[in-house]
Amino acid sequence: MDDRRNAGPARQAAAECCPLALGPLAAADADRMAHRLKALADPTRLRILSLIAARGCESVCACELLDALDVTQPTVSHHLKKLVEAGLLQREQRGKWAHYTVERSAVAELQAFLALG
């Protein structure tokens, strides 16, 4: 069983203040988080994620991002690929264009990790 989930009241209270208070991250969790954070360390990728997230559950065509970002199609495709590889976006091919939605569980995991109380 995961010791982090079975923490006593004192450790649970500490965890409300800081998510890492339940213990250090496992190596696989640290690798996954680092990969996601690295993907978000680029301003264009942050903008892409925010533009797609702003649409809620509705998917966004890559073609819609071109005008909003004022960058070329290859640049948008490169950044979208990085966000998909990091597990932050889901990609669905529809004919010529790909459509993207936010991977809610990945964003929720990042939010929990970054929450400081």
Side-chain angles (χ1 to χ4, degrees), residues 21-35:
L22 288 176
L25 289 173
D29 294 336
D31 287 343
R32 185 177 61 254
M33 283 298 191
H35 188 64

Side-chain angles (χ1 to χ4, degrees), residues 28-41 45 81-88 110:
D29 294 336
D31 287 343
R32 185 177 61 254
M33 283 298 191
H35 188 64
R36 289 178 179 163
L37 291 168
K38 184 177 178 182
L40 290 175
R45 290 186 204 133
K81 180 180 178 184
K82 293 292 187 183
L83 291 167
V84 169
E85 288 173 351
L88 295 166
L110 277 172

Side-chain angles (χ1 to χ4, degrees), residues 9-88:
R11 286 186 67 188
Q12 287 176 347
E16 290 176 13
C17 176
C18 180
L20 295 177
L22 288 176
L25 289 173
D29 294 336
D31 287 343
R32 185 177 61 254
M33 283 298 191
H35 188 64
R36 289 178 179 163
L37 291 168
K38 184 177 178 182
L40 290 175
D42 182 278
T44 301
R45 290 186 204 133
L46 276 175
R47 289 193 61 216
I48 289 171
L49 186 65
S50 71
L51 287 166
I52 295 172
R55 299 283 288 272
C57 295
E58 185 180 336
S59 67
V60 176
C61 178
C63 60
E64 296 176 49
L65 299 170
L66 296 174
D67 291 334
L69 296 169
D70 194 31
V71 295
T72 65
Q73 182 274 324
T75 299
V76 170
S77 292
H78 167 76
H79 289 300
L80 286 166
K81 180 180 178 184
K82 293 292 187 183
L83 291 167
V84 169
E85 288 173 351
L88 295 166

Side-chain angles (χ1 to χ4, degrees), residues 84-105:
V84 169
E85 288 173 351
L88 295 166
L89 294 179
Q90 293 179 352
R91 181 184 187 275
E92 178 186 348
Q93 190 69 37
R94 297 184 195 167
K96 179 181 175 182
W97 290 99
H99 292 253
Y100 296 86
T101 53
V102 171
E103 178 56 59
R104 292 174 177 263
S105 63

